Every structure is written in structure tokens, then in C-alpha cells.
């Protein structure tokens, strides 16, 4: 499922929004698509970037999509693929953070604690569940 964003496509025409490179006018629409996809168990992709040679704009737009919760984006040109892979792939630092969080919580839970301090943060079951899910969706199956 794709969150609508294209500057000259059908959603822009029908809704009548005035497109901007930041995509602020589409945040509500993309968020609705994202939430509906999560509810239905579908993989949501943020929309597409029509400006083929504007890789910096693509990168910024993709980062905003990732920040909203999208895990990927439609690429309309081969030059976009490396940028999108960069944005939507886990960094080694992120993977290390979430792997460490999972291990810290599991040790604490084994000792009977429902919460633990990890890198100066309060961590409980909700944080653990998010970390496990994050690792699974960004690195394949997680194993501690």
C-alpha cells in the first residue's frame, strides 16, 4: 500500500493540495494510509518522489516518511534505489542500541524486574516489544 504524495498524480488532483518538497500537506493522508495498513497487517510504503535528479530532496522526503513510521518508499528511477536503501536500512548504531536494549531487558526480566535503566533511559516491556519488532522488521528474524 502506498501513502499518496506525488506532485502531479491523482490524489493531488482530487484533493487539490498544493505540493511542497517537504510534503507537509500530505502528512495527514500518509498517516491515515499508514495506520490503516498497520491495522490490516499490510506493509506501507510512503509515496514517490517525482523529481528524478533531486536526490537530496528525495533523501529528506524519505527520512520524513521513515520518521512517520513507513518502512520503505516507491522508487520511480534506478538512481533513487541507493538513497532509499540508505534511508530505510538500519544503521549499525541503531541495531546495536536495540539489540542491547533487548538483552538488558531480558536480563532484568529474568531477575524479576519489570523495568531497567539502559543507556540512561527507563526501559520496560513496551520498550522491549518495540525493540524486538524493530529488529525483526529491519534485520530479518531477531535472535538474542
Amino acid at each position: 500500500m502506498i501513502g499518496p504524495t506525488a506532485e502531479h498524480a491523482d490524489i493531488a488532483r482530487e484533493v487539490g493540495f498544493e505540493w511542497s518538497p517537504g510534503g507537509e500537506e500530505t502528512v495527514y493522508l500518509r498517516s491515515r494510509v499508514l495506520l490503516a495498513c498497520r491495522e490490516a497487517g499490510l506493509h506501507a510504503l510512503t509515496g514517490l518522489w517525482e523529481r528524478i535528479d533531486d536526490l537530496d530532496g528525495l533523501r529528506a522526503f524519505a527520512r520524513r516518511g521513515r520518521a512517520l513510521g513507513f518502512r520503505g518508499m516507491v522508487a520511480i528511477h534506478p538512481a533513487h534505489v541507493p538513497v532509499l536503501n540508505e534511508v530505510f536500512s538500519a544503521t549499525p548504531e541503531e541495531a546495536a542500541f536495540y539489540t542491547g536494549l533487548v538483552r538488558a531487558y531480558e536480563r532484568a526480566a529474568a531477575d524479576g524486574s519489570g523495568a531497567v535503566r539502559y543507556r540512561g533511559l527507563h526501559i520496560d516491556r513496551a520498550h522491549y516489544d518495540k525493540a524486538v519488532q524493530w529488529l525483526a522488521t529491519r534485520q530479518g528474524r531477531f535472535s538474542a
Side-chain angles (χ1 to χ4, degrees), residues 54-66:
D54 182 4
L55 299 182
D56 290 334
L58 167 67
R59 182 176 287 104
F61 185 81
R63 284 181 179 152
R64 284 188 293 277
R66 180 178 171 174

Side-chain angles (χ1 to χ4, degrees), residues 5-108:
T5 60
E7 181 175 3
H8 299 101
D10 51 353
I11 300 292
R13 179 190 68 235
E14 293 303 319
V15 173
F17 63 71
E18 293 187 19
W19 185 87
S20 69
E24 294 83 5
E25 66 285 345
T26 66
V27 170
Y28 174 76
L29 296 169
R30 289 185 291 140
S31 296
R32 290 284 310 257
V33 168
L34 178 64
L35 293 172
C37 286
R38 288 286 190 276
E39 177 67 23
L42 299 173
H43 183 73
L45 301 174
T46 193
L48 58 94
W49 186 257
E50 292 181 337
R51 296 175 179 201
I52 294 170
D53 297 324
D54 182 4
L55 299 182
D56 290 334
L58 167 67
R59 182 176 287 104
F61 185 81
R63 284 181 179 152
R64 284 188 293 277
R66 180 178 171 174
L68 281 174
F70 288 96
R71 296 182 185 141
M73 185 170 163
V74 175
I76 63 169
H77 192 274
H80 291 183
V81 174
V83 173
L84 298 180
N85 284 337
E86 167 199 322
V87 170
F88 288 101
S89 295
T91 67
E93 296 80 16
E94 290 169 324
F97 174 83
Y98 285 115
T99 299
L101 186 155
V102 165
R103 291 188 175 130
Y105 180 82
E106 287 176 348
R107 281 192 303 271

Side-chain angles (χ1 to χ4, degrees), residues 111-122:
D111 290 339
S113 178
V116 66
R117 184 181 178 117
Y118 175 71
R119 295 190 184 184
L121 302 171
H122 161 87

